Amino acid sequence: MSDSPLQADAAAVERIAAARRQIHEQLSQIIVGQTDVIEELLISLISRGHCLLEGVPGLAKTLMISSLAKTLNLSFSRIQFTPDLMPADITGTEIIEENRSTGHREFRFLEGPLFSNIILADEINRTPPKTQAALLEAMQERQVTVGRVRHELSDPFFVLATQNPIEQEGTYPLPEAQQDRFMFKVFVKYPNFDDEFEIARRTTGGAKGEIAPVLTGEELIELQKIVREVPITDHVIRFALSLVRQTRIGGAGTPDFVQDLVSWGAGPRAVQFLILGGKARALLHGRTHVSTEDIQALAKPVLRHRISVNFAAESDGISPDDIIDRILESTPTKEDELTSDARFQKIFAS
């Protein structure tokens, strides 16, 4: 067993669960529905991850993200990605400025919109690869380099990038290796009838909700540290590994339907994000341990952008989510069933 005592006391765990409830209460004044999306954003946030959101226009993605920033009392920047956007437009640039006391001209760095806590990269697939790469470098290194000088970014630092799935003309789709840097790919779907009725009623009236801050940036950083202290059993780690390794064609124990329908599968980052996300989800629900249910709940947002289906799957209308559903159905959650299964024994021995 790899369990270790949770260093944070029960009060800290309750504080996280209470913060989740309060954030949902505040956002419900502005955002109708989208409970699962908000949950996944919070999990990513306290796991120090980034999110890629995909949804058609008009689903309040921008409003949701800016409202979330207000509940966390964090700075927020929205960057509209366009074909003519350059890296310096988001990272910042050096300007020449005269020092009035000495009369000499000196370089001064002028910070770009990346120097905020929460960044909305709107329609990231509309900007060229050079600008996409500048954003992804900041996500990975949490710094930008201008000239020979490195500039540290704000902490916490959280990037939410959006993509429009229905209009691909004139776009620069993110390469798979760059999508892999996002912890989650979250689908923002149409609201149900009751939610859309409430949206229509609220947005066409005069009343406006006011959002009150729930957490500060310093408190959020403390919560991010607590996440890594949550214990997880070897069985749950094996379960997460089993899900990820079944997505890889040519591997031992890979199901036949994966061999037939998948071009390539998920890498090691998927396992890391499944475990970190599971720890964060457990805390948000007031638990101090990770269960296989946490891993199952996060399998789709973690894996869907790390699995590429082949032409045969596309022609039959089979999506990565369909593949993940079948993998979840065929993977036992109980320890004795998982370890005694001949197919999974091959996976564990590979």
Side-chain angles (χ1 to χ4, degrees):
M1 303 288 284
S2 61
D3 287 7
S4 59
L6 183 62
Q7 295 175 13
D9 55 19
V13 176
E14 174 55 31
R15 190 168 76 248
I16 293 178
R20 169 182 173 265
R21 293 191 296 269
Q22 292 167 2
I23 288 171
H24 275 285
E25 288 172 4
Q26 293 297 322
L27 290 179
S28 66
Q29 300 179 64
I30 306 294
I31 304 297
V32 179
Q34 304 291 4
T35 306
D36 291 341
V37 175
I38 293 171
E39 175 105 333
E40 288 166 8
L41 290 178
L42 287 176
I43 291 171
S44 181
L45 186 67
I46 68 171
S47 302
R48 288 178 66 86
H50 307 285
C51 275
L52 182 63
L53 288 86
E54 186 172 292
V56 299
L59 296 183
K61 296 186 292 294
T62 302
L63 180 62
M64 187 190 310
I65 295 163
S66 61
S67 300
L68 178 62
K70 291 177 183 176
T71 67
L72 299 171
N73 199 22
L74 299 175
S75 58
F76 170 73
S77 288
R78 178 181 182 271
I79 308 172
Q80 182 64 52
F81 279 70
T82 57
D84 60 347
L85 196 71
M86 298 298 290
D89 295 329
I90 63 171
T91 60
T93 187
E94 286 187 331
I95 61 173
I96 298 177
E97 189 174 63
E98 184 175 343
N99 187 325
R100 294 184 179 180
S101 60
T102 63
H104 296 297
R105 291 184 176 182
E106 301 172 348
F107 281 104
R108 182 172 71 86
F109 179 66
L110 190 64
E111 294 181 350
L114 273 188
F115 286 82
S116 292
N117 298 120
I118 295 183
I119 310 297
L120 170 58
D122 213 1
E123 295 190 289
I124 189 175
N125 56 333
R126 292 211 172 276
T127 202
K130 179 187 290 188
T131 308
Q132 291 175 354
L135 174 66
L136 293 162
E137 177 191 1
M139 289 165 51
Q140 185 72 16
E141 306 297 334
R142 298 182 184 268
Q143 65 180 23
V144 296
T145 304
V146 178
R148 297 181 179 180
V149 181
R150 294 178 180 177
H151 303 272
E152 297 290 331
L153 292 170
S154 308
D155 193 20
F157 179 69
F158 184 47
V159 173
L160 291 155
T162 67
Q163 290 189 144
N164 182 343
I166 61 173
E167 190 180 1
Q168 297 302 319
E169 189 173 340
T171 61
Y172 304 84
L174 277 178
E176 288 76 9
Q178 294 185 356
Q179 289 191 46
D180 191 51
R181 296 178 187 272
F182 288 93
M183 181 176 187
F184 291 157
K185 182 175 184 179
V186 179
F187 286 160
V188 184
K189 301 178 181 178
Y190 286 116
N192 60 33
F193 182 88
D194 290 339
D195 286 343
E196 193 161 6
F197 181 92
E198 181 64 17
I199 291 169
R201 189 184 66 81
R202 285 193 196 182
T203 56
T204 56
K208 292 185 178 180
E210 292 291 332
I211 291 181
V214 174
L215 292 173
T216 65
E218 292 74 17
E219 289 172 329
L220 180 59
I221 292 171
E222 287 301 312
L223 298 185
Q224 290 174 339
K225 293 177 182 176
I226 293 173
V227 166
R228 291 183 173 267
E229 299 170 3
V230 175
I232 182 169
T233 64
D234 288 350
H235 165 58
V236 177
I237 294 176
R238 285 194 196 95
F239 180 76
L241 271 166
S242 299
L243 297 181
V244 173
R245 294 182 73 86
Q246 285 181 86
T247 67
R248 301 170 186 168
I249 59 173
T254 300
D256 291 339
F257 67 85
V258 171
Q259 303 280 15
D260 295 338
L261 300 172
V262 172
S263 295
W264 52 265
R269 274 200 188 104
V271 179
Q272 296 169 340
F273 286 144
L274 273 176
I275 292 172
L276 280 174
K279 291 183 175 188
R281 186 177 187 271
L283 285 179
L284 287 173
H285 288 266
R287 290 182 281 109
T288 57
H289 65 280
V290 187
S291 68
T292 54
E293 180 187 346
D294 295 314
I295 305 300
Q296 288 175 311
L298 299 179
K300 285 184 180 178
V302 169
L303 294 174
R304 61 168 54 113
H305 56 302
R306 295 180 165 90
I307 296 175
S308 176
V309 296
N310 59 26
F311 178 77
E314 288 181 354
S315 62
D316 290 337
I318 297 173
S319 68
D321 279 18
D322 297 325
I323 302 291
I324 297 165
D325 278 333
R326 293 182 64 176
I327 290 174
L328 288 170
E329 289 171 5
S330 62
T331 306
T333 57
K334 295 182 179 179
E335 184 172 6
D336 55 345
E337 294 178 5
L338 187 67
T339 54
S340 62
D341 190 296
R343 185 165 66 86
F344 291 97
Q345 287 176 354
K346 292 179 183 177
I347 292 176
F348 301 148
S350 61

